[in-house]
Amino acid sequence: MALSQGLYQKQLQKLSPQQIQLMKLLQVPTAILEERIKEEMEENPALEQAEEDHKDEYDETNDEFKDSEDDFEADGSEDDYDNLDISEYVNEGDDEVGDYKLRDENYPEIDDGKVIPHKVEVGFNELMLEQLGQLNLDEHKQKIAEQIIGNLDDDGYLRRDISSIVDDLAFRQNIITTEEEIGQLVLQIQQFDPAGICARNLQECLLLQLERKLDEGKHVELSMKVLDKYFDEFTKKHYEKIQRGLSINDEQLKEVIKQIVKLNPKPAGNIGETNKGESYVIPDFFIFNNAGKLELTLNSKNAPDLRISEGYRDMLKDYERGSKKDKRQKEAVFFIKQKIDAAKWFIDAIKQRQNTLLNTMEAIMNYQREFFITGDETELRPMILKYIAEATNLDISTVSRVANSKFVQTEFGTYRLKFFFSESLQTESGEEVSTREVKKILSDLIEEESKKHPLSDERLTELLQEKGYNIARRTVAKYREQLNIPVARLRKEL
């Protein structure tokens, strides 16, 4: 095989470190941006947050830390130290430090001065261990009980096999126990609050809760019989089979259903950190309707006042004034210069993040103006990422990063930006409408249906077609599933 050499040209698209940093910052929601900035300031002492008395307007022409035409990429060699030029970093005639202002103080943010509340709460695991301490167990049983509690999931269920817990205790903690001993401790933990804790499945969880209501009457006993003997039939709403098997009438069955639906299928779901549903959403944008004119503002936490450290600038001034410049001093200045460059890059990325967020949200606001005016979901227009990318001259991937993790607060509620994106569907007249509009109408039809005779997917398809929407039954079924609405049989009520 012969070897040959040759010159070839090829083009490669490569992201700079600054572009990568910007892409990462775009994905960060407002709720954790402050933490990300704190991390950067801890890693880079040349970056700091401006104090109140340093909030001068950012002026690129007077910025004492102007970007150099070429990025400083020295490798720390002797020649690099000898050729150090810090004139662009030092301005002898200016005693004030130029701030990189990212927002206008003359136009205050809507949420300035507000205090964001934070929960102070006891977690589920801590609550269980607190109740465990009241059992006065010996050390052996205490460790076994702690292992059981440690195996409870976020909903409060014990889904791990008891035999596996026996093995875990033997191999990891050198504690020898039996399935019977663990079973006895499980029964004790099941008496903890809230009711239903440490159940192996949903059926056991609901039965544990009913056991604590036995003194409330015979309907509770009947409910326990239904769950014990006809659990599958109850979940599938085969009520006729339950009535035949237990010889009960419609009124008794209604009382049973009333008792069971009041039970909590996730007993630990409302405790402490496990309750993800109640986590606070901090909006990234605010949109207000001012007499028909929409006003968009960015959450002030997205626009922190960052600047280059005065101390670092002073160190460069001292070096510039000094006559003796040994190698150690040059190395120190080289380090300072690198940190200042990194700080400038981060400040610029934050500023670009702010501009990108505002441009993207403004394009969405203009495109979906009727919704932001009325709050009516049927006014939403079909909108895909490509439309916003073209309107903002941004890449589709950039728009996607903004839309995936950001929220906007309106007078009608707080929405994730992804909410406003949807595909289109044609009507009989050929007009394109948003699939979200169709889902809203579908949801309204199901909400208004007779629960004794819920609408089938076929009937829902017919009703939508009567309203002028060209839609297939399988598409209706897909939209219903996306709305987390069960099939007609499971929506049936007595």
Side-chain angles (χ1 to χ4, degrees):
M1 182 182 291
L3 296 176
S4 62
Q5 288 184 331
L7 293 175
Y8 303 95
Q9 282 187 335
K10 65 177 180 179
Q11 284 187 325
L12 290 175
Q13 191 171 15
K14 198 173 181 182
L15 291 176
S16 68
Q18 293 81 8
Q19 288 173 313
I20 295 172
Q21 188 175 55
L22 175 60
M23 292 301 104
K24 289 181 178 179
L25 283 173
L26 277 176
Q27 291 177 296
V28 175
T30 299
I32 57 176
L33 178 63
E34 190 174 7
E35 192 64 32
R36 173 69 185 87
I37 291 172
K38 285 181 181 177
E39 289 176 6
E40 188 70 23
M41 287 194 292
E42 287 174 3
E43 293 176 7
N44 188 354
L47 179 70
E48 65 181 23
Q49 204 148 356
E51 302 296 334
E52 290 296 324
D53 56 344
H54 287 294
K55 290 186 176 180
D56 300 325
E57 287 297 323
Y58 172 59
D59 183 0
E60 290 188 15
T61 58
N62 294 324
D63 182 15
E64 60 189 315
F65 298 117
K66 291 178 183 176
D67 290 328
S68 56
E69 293 182 3
D70 300 314
D71 288 333
F72 187 80
E73 296 181 352
D75 59 3
S77 65
E78 189 71 37
D79 289 339
D80 294 324
Y81 296 142
D82 290 339
N83 297 324
L84 270 176
D85 179 13
I86 62 170
S87 58
E88 64 189 66
Y89 294 80
V90 180
N91 188 342
E92 292 289 347
D94 186 10
D95 292 331
E96 295 296 326
V97 177
D99 292 347
Y100 287 75
K101 278 295 290 144
L102 301 181
R103 60 190 172 115
D104 188 353
E105 291 299 318
N106 297 318
Y107 192 78
E109 299 293 344
I110 300 301
D111 65 339
D112 275 355
K114 285 188 179 179
V115 177
I116 301 298
H118 295 281
K119 284 186 178 181
V120 178
E121 55 194 11
V122 177
F124 169 63
N125 196 62
E126 288 81 359
L127 180 62
M128 293 298 102
L129 293 175
E130 186 179 309
Q131 295 179 78
L132 179 63
Q134 299 174 10
L135 295 182
N136 295 320
L137 301 173
D138 59 40
E139 186 178 352
H140 174 76
K141 289 186 176 180
Q142 177 77 16
K143 290 189 176 295
I144 296 173
E146 288 176 358
Q147 183 74 12
I148 295 170
I149 290 173
N151 278 279
L152 299 181
D153 65 14
D154 286 349
D155 296 328
Y157 287 86
L158 180 64
R159 302 192 190 275
R160 189 164 175 77
D161 293 336
I162 289 181
S163 59
S164 299
I165 297 177
V166 172
D167 293 339
D168 289 345
L169 286 164
F171 290 114
R172 296 182 182 180
Q173 300 190 45
N174 198 26
I175 296 175
I176 307 303
T177 184
T178 63
E179 291 187 21
E180 290 73 22
E181 185 176 26
I182 290 179
Q184 289 298 318
L185 285 168
V186 166
L187 291 176
Q188 288 182 276
I189 294 171
Q190 285 178 346
Q191 303 308 309
F192 290 0
D193 289 324
I197 288 297
C198 206
R200 267 63 68 92
N201 51 53
L202 177 60
Q203 183 181 17
E204 185 180 21
C205 176
L206 299 178
L207 285 169
L208 286 170
Q209 294 177 56
L210 286 173
E211 281 179 9
R212 301 199 190 184
K213 297 185 174 185
L214 280 172
D215 57 349
E216 294 183 11
K218 291 185 178 180
H219 51 272
V220 176
E221 292 181 28
L222 185 57
S223 300
M224 292 184 69
K225 282 184 182 179
V226 170
L227 290 180
D228 186 36
K229 298 180 179 179
Y230 296 96
F231 181 74
D232 288 338
E233 289 79 3
F234 182 83
T235 56
K236 294 175 182 176
K237 295 197 174 185
H238 292 156
Y239 296 139
E240 296 83 1
K241 189 173 181 179
I242 297 173
Q243 287 180 287
R244 289 196 303 269
L246 295 176
S247 300
I248 59 177
N249 56 36
D250 288 348
E251 288 303 316
Q252 288 174 305
L253 182 59
K254 283 182 181 179
E255 189 59 41
V256 166
I257 295 172
K258 181 181 176 182
Q259 284 295 319
I260 295 175
V261 297
K262 288 193 296 184
L263 303 176
N264 187 359
K266 298 180 179 181
N270 294 324
I271 300 175
E273 297 173 359
T274 60
N275 185 17
K276 304 294 190 301
E278 288 187 4
S279 58
Y280 289 100
V281 172
I282 299 177
D284 301 82
F285 311 94
F286 302 92
I287 292 181
F288 296 92
N289 183 355
N290 186 2
K293 181 182 178 182
L294 295 176
E295 295 180 352
L296 169 66
T297 57
L298 189 66
N299 190 323
S300 62
K301 291 184 179 294
N302 284 295
D305 297 310
L306 299 175
R307 64 181 181 132
I308 307 298
S309 168
E310 278 188 77
Y312 268 56
R313 199 279 302 269
D314 290 342
M315 283 190 279
L316 289 181
K317 279 187 175 182
D318 291 341
Y319 173 82
E320 186 74 4
R321 293 187 187 117
S323 57
K324 184 180 179 182
K325 297 180 174 66
D326 57 28
K327 183 178 179 181
R328 182 175 294 181
Q329 285 179 317
K330 291 178 180 178
E331 288 175 352
V333 170
F334 179 73
F335 171 80
I336 292 170
K337 199 174 178 186
Q338 283 184 317
K339 290 300 181 182
I340 289 177
D341 282 338
K344 286 162 57 181
W345 290 338
F346 185 78
I347 290 170
D348 190 52
I350 290 289
K351 187 176 181 182
Q352 288 185 55
R353 177 185 188 273
Q354 178 192 17
N355 292 334
T356 303
L357 291 181
L358 278 172
N359 290 340
T360 304
M361 188 64 239
E362 186 174 14
I364 294 172
M365 180 183 73
N366 292 336
Y367 202 92
Q368 302 291 7
R369 185 178 186 279
E370 290 305 313
F371 170 80
F372 289 110
I373 293 290
T374 64
D376 185 355
E377 287 188 32
T378 60
E379 296 289 348
L380 284 170
R381 298 168 59 194
M383 185 177 78
I384 58 177
L385 294 171
K386 181 183 175 182
Y387 298 165
I388 303 303
E390 290 174 350
T392 56
N393 292 321
L394 294 171
D395 191 82
I396 290 179
S397 62
T398 302
V399 176
S400 177
R401 284 183 174 89
V402 174
N404 280 335
S405 57
K406 305 298 182 295
F407 292 84
V408 58
Q409 181 176 307
T410 72
E411 58 186 291
F412 312 109
T414 301
Y415 300 89
R416 190 184 289 273
L417 262 59
K418 284 178 66 176
F419 171 82
F420 303 105
F421 292 86
S422 63
E423 300 290 338
S424 63
L425 188 77
Q426 274 200 339
T427 63
E428 285 183 349
S429 62
E431 180 187 359
E432 285 194 343
V433 296
S434 169
T435 54
R436 193 169 292 281
E437 175 182 331
V438 180
K439 289 180 184 178
K440 178 67 169 65
I441 295 171
L442 176 63
S443 178
D444 290 342
L445 287 172
I446 293 173
E447 189 176 334
E448 295 167 3
E449 70 185 359
S450 168
K451 297 306 176 185
K452 289 187 178 181
H453 306 285
L455 300 171
S456 64
D457 288 347
E458 289 81 2
R459 182 56 184 152
L460 288 168
T461 304
E462 292 172 3
L463 291 172
L464 284 167
Q465 288 175 346
E466 288 173 10
K467 291 179 179 290
Y469 298 101
N470 291 325
I471 191 167
R473 190 204 63 80
R474 64 179 179 273
T475 307
V476 170
K478 182 180 77 171
Y479 289 172
R480 177 180 52 73
E481 290 170 1
Q482 289 175 352
L483 292 167
N484 294 319
I485 298 174
V487 295
R489 178 172 55 79
L490 297 179
R491 301 199 305 272
K492 187 176 180 180
E493 297 177 4
L494 293 177

